[in-house]
Amino acid sequence: MNFTFNAQEYKYASRRRVVHAKRGMVCTSQPLAAQAGLTILQQGGNAIDAAIATAICQTIVEPTNNGLGSDCFALVWTGGKLHGLNGSGYAPQRLTPEAVAASGATEKMPLRGWEAVTVPGAPSAWAELHKRFGRLPFAKLFEPAIYYAEQGYPVSPIVARFWQEGIDALTPYKDNPAIAPWFATFDVHGNGVAPKTGELVTLPDHAKTLRILADSYCESYYRGELAQRLVEFSDKTGGYLSLEDLADYRAEWVEPVHINYHGYDVWEMPPNGHGITALMALNILKGMEIGAKDTGDTFHKQIEAMKLAFADGMHYIADPRYMQTRVEELLSDAYAAQRRALIGETALEPTHGKPFCGGTVYLCTADGEGNMVSFIQSNYKDFGSGIVLPGYGINLNDRGAGFSLNPELDDYLAPRKKPYHTIIPGFLTHEGEAVGPFGVMGAYMQPQGHVQVIMNTVDWLLNPQTALDAPRWQWIAGKEIWLESSVAPEIVEDLRRRGHEVRVLEDDTTFGRGEIIWRDSNGVLAGATEPRADGVVAAW
């Protein structure tokens, strides 16, 4: 018999527990991707191999949030040291403010079309990670993704929802010749209706491209057949990519940045990512008297510190080659004290751009040898720019939307410049030893999620699962904040009395979706992934 049930409805609360293991662990927002990474560990791969395989698999099983045209960032703990890899791309040489203005955009960068596309960095980052730290053959890391692309996979619940939202968002652009091929790839029924939860989906064009990437060590993407096809399609449909833009690109190894927060070192990637926004907020908060977790006063102080950090971050963060302000100045204790002094009993109203939630996947891995990876990969908004290379399934990012068109700002669009980037992997250490990776995906929610998760862990000693499950706040703009419906009513009223403009939301997907792996002194791993996404902890 074929037992039928309602795959869309979740009426009653369920509880997740921390998963403990010793030999290895993979946490991410899609169960099949987590299992793909675990399989690599069980076949003799290390945590870096597992992270790459999981990231590649997520381009197939979670195409709503990332793809073969994404960017990524990674923090890798190995050999007693933390390494950073910036896999974000730059603007094509021909993508200038004048070109964007000629397309009709003069005040704000577009989210769709070629003006939003930067050179994708993820395939280069996969190769660079493997060259430096991988163990298994590179092509083996593609096997799970190729299998699901060719043989099919059942769509998970949150992905099904985001898929429909993506179709709805891109339908107004259907007549754009650059975006029309997206529908041939992702409108799988051809009628504007996304695949349902549990429905099998195949992505054969993706499988073809994955095989080319596996066989060429991703070289084809930047200096081979795929590069040729990308540029031909760009030229045909009014794009800006050139062969030189692709050939000159490589993911870049960088030094992570950190602050000490109550005895723990919290690590983030340096700009062009906005990880320092989380560090600036924590720097302000560490000098304040913080009481019990679930009080209006605690929420108020967290929110006000976050506002001040965002006001600075959105003004100063850019490609580091163009920043006029040094990261060290923004993270100094003296500057944190200046900002802290502005926080009183009522809501502030700093000026900044309006945050919104985006399309990103986060994953973390660990193995029995002590290696750990914090990895994040993203299109940006929904399915990205809406541009798909016909016949290849390469869905290009819209990271160019992170640029400013204000020439007075450091993030002003320029050729070969990297944009302000919202995706941020995090890592925690204590006295020089790794505690582990953590992350909360969701565009401008990300640093806000990092602050809340770290305080839940360090200040209130919550276990990883409880730290992720805890009710969240999100600052939106001015005095406007959003709260999850699980926040206590007395906190809601306290914040309103302090002048915050509060909205309580039933939908929790806008409050980030995160994962954590902590390692104790005995080498035991404790992993968690939250109910705001489809994720699981795969471990052995």
Side-chain angles (χ1 to χ4, degrees):
M1 66 174 287
N2 183 18
F3 182 71
T4 302
F5 59 90
N6 187 341
Q8 312 297 326
E9 186 172 24
Y10 293 85
K11 293 179 63 175
Y12 310 110
S14 67
R15 175 174 293 177
R16 300 185 180 204
R17 302 285 187 181
V18 178
V19 176
H20 293 89
K22 177 75 172 176
R23 300 179 69 181
M25 185 173 286
V26 181
C27 302
T28 194
S29 53
Q30 212 288 338
L32 299 178
Q35 190 62 43
L38 182 63
T39 298
I40 292 299
L41 287 174
Q42 292 171 331
Q43 292 176 347
N46 59 23
I48 296 87
D49 292 321
I52 299 167
T54 304
I56 295 168
C57 193
Q58 282 192 274
T59 69
I60 304 303
V61 299
E62 201 168 352
T64 54
N65 289 340
N66 75 134
L68 297 174
S70 284
D71 282 355
C72 67
F73 291 85
L75 291 169
V76 181
W77 179 272
T78 186
K81 186 180 187 305
L82 192 64
H83 307 263
L85 182 64
N86 183 325
S88 69
Y90 46 56
Q93 189 70 34
R94 290 185 289 165
L95 185 62
T96 63
E98 294 75 20
V100 173
S103 76
T106 56
E107 296 184 0
K108 190 175 181 180
M109 288 292 293
L111 277 170
R112 312 297 181 193
W114 282 111
E115 288 74 27
V117 175
T118 56
V119 171
S124 176
W126 302 339
E128 293 301 316
L129 277 170
H130 185 265
K131 288 173 187 175
R132 188 166 182 182
F133 298 122
R135 178 179 298 161
L136 293 183
F138 189 59
K140 177 167 277 298
L141 309 184
F142 287 76
E143 290 177 358
I146 292 171
Y147 175 86
Y148 288 125
E150 291 182 336
Q151 303 302 316
Y153 66 94
V155 175
S156 52
I158 298 298
V159 171
R161 171 183 164 177
F162 288 170
W163 205 311
Q164 186 62 60
E165 291 177 1
I167 290 176
D168 294 343
L170 287 167
T171 295
Y173 303 89
K174 197 169 184 177
D175 293 334
N176 183 321
I179 295 177
W182 183 93
F183 290 86
T185 300
F186 291 113
D187 186 3
V188 294
H189 301 305
N191 61 358
V193 177
K196 303 297 184 185
T197 299
E199 183 177 338
L200 289 173
V201 168
T202 59
L203 296 171
D205 291 348
H206 288 65
K208 178 175 74 174
T209 296
L210 289 171
R211 291 187 182 279
I212 294 171
L213 294 173
D215 292 342
S216 70
Y217 221 132
C218 293
E219 278 294 299
S220 179
Y221 203 106
Y222 301 95
R223 291 161 282 276
E225 174 192 348
L226 294 178
Q228 291 280 352
R229 299 291 87 79
L230 280 166
V231 172
E232 287 171 4
F233 185 61
S234 173
D235 289 343
K236 180 180 177 182
T237 56
Y240 304 90
L241 281 177
S242 69
L243 289 174
E244 292 77 15
D245 290 327
L246 292 164
D248 291 345
Y249 180 79
R250 276 183 174 80
E252 178 185 8
W253 291 100
V254 298
E255 286 297 321
V257 295
H258 75 286
I259 64 150
N260 188 273
Y261 181 76
H262 295 173
Y264 289 82
D265 287 313
V266 185
W267 296 83
E268 299 278 358
M269 291 287 290
N272 55 314
H274 69 169
I276 65 168
T277 304
L279 299 184
M280 286 189 285
L282 288 170
N283 235 10
I284 293 169
L285 286 161
K286 74 181 183 183
M288 304 185 78
E289 185 175 337
I290 304 293
K293 171 177 166 43
D294 293 320
T295 67
D297 185 66
T298 294
F299 274 52
H300 170 72
K301 289 173 179 174
Q302 290 178 314
I303 292 164
E304 294 303 293
M306 197 76 246
K307 285 183 186 181
L308 293 169
F310 258 127
D312 285 333
M314 296 189 75
H315 186 80
Y316 294 115
I317 292 171
D319 185 320
R321 296 171 299 164
Y322 294 81
M323 285 178 62
Q324 302 299 308
T325 304
R326 295 187 305 128
V327 169
E328 293 80 5
E329 295 169 343
L330 294 170
L331 296 182
S332 73
D333 288 341
Y335 186 64
Q338 289 180 35
R339 302 299 271 165
R340 188 182 306 123
L342 299 175
I343 297 176
E345 294 298 315
T346 58
L348 292 170
E349 192 168 0
T351 302
H352 76 106
K354 184 171 176 137
F356 57 90
C357 198
T360 304
V361 295
Y362 174 77
L363 66 97
C364 48
T365 63
D367 60 33
E369 302 168 31
N371 303 304
M372 306 179 90
V373 180
S374 185
F375 189 101
I376 197 158
Q377 186 166 272
S378 176
N379 292 332
Y380 191 30
K381 187 67 173 172
D382 301 316
F383 277 88
S385 65
I387 297 174
V388 172
L389 179 63
Y392 291 87
I394 295 176
N395 185 29
L396 295 171
N397 67 72
D398 57 342
R399 280 291 163 189
F403 283 117
S404 171
L405 292 178
N406 181 351
E408 296 181 2
L409 294 182
D410 294 351
D411 190 43
Y412 183 55
L413 170 64
R416 296 294 180 95
K417 183 176 181 179
K418 294 185 176 184
Y420 179 108
H421 232 286
T422 59
I423 59 175
I424 52 172
F427 205 91
L428 192 66
T429 63
H430 183 250
E431 296 180 352
E433 297 294 329
V435 177
F438 68 96
V440 178
M441 64 194 101
Y444 289 89
M445 180 62 204
Q446 293 189 45
Q448 306 189 61
H450 281 211
V451 167
Q452 291 173 72
V453 164
I454 287 297
M455 293 186 72
N456 289 347
T457 300
V458 174
D459 291 317
W460 298 296
L461 305 180
L462 301 185
N463 68 56
Q465 188 61 58
T466 307
L468 289 172
D469 290 347
R472 289 197 184 133
W473 50 264
Q474 180 179 183
W475 176 56
I476 301 301
K479 296 183 181 181
E480 182 183 358
I481 59 170
W482 292 355
L483 302 176
E484 289 187 297
S485 59
S486 52
V487 172
E490 57 269 25
I491 295 176
V492 176
E493 292 310 310
D494 190 341
L495 292 172
R496 284 178 173 151
R497 283 194 299 269
R498 294 172 184 265
H500 296 279
E501 298 167 1
V502 179
R503 285 186 61 195
V504 179
L505 274 64
E506 293 292 334
D507 180 4
D508 61 7
T509 58
T510 64
F511 290 90
R513 305 175 304 282
E515 285 81 42
I516 296 173
I517 299 176
W518 293 155
R519 187 195 301 274
D520 71 13
S521 58
N522 296 314
V524 173
L525 305 170
T529 181
E530 62 179 72
R532 299 175 186 88
D534 296 324
V536 298
V537 179
W540 70 323

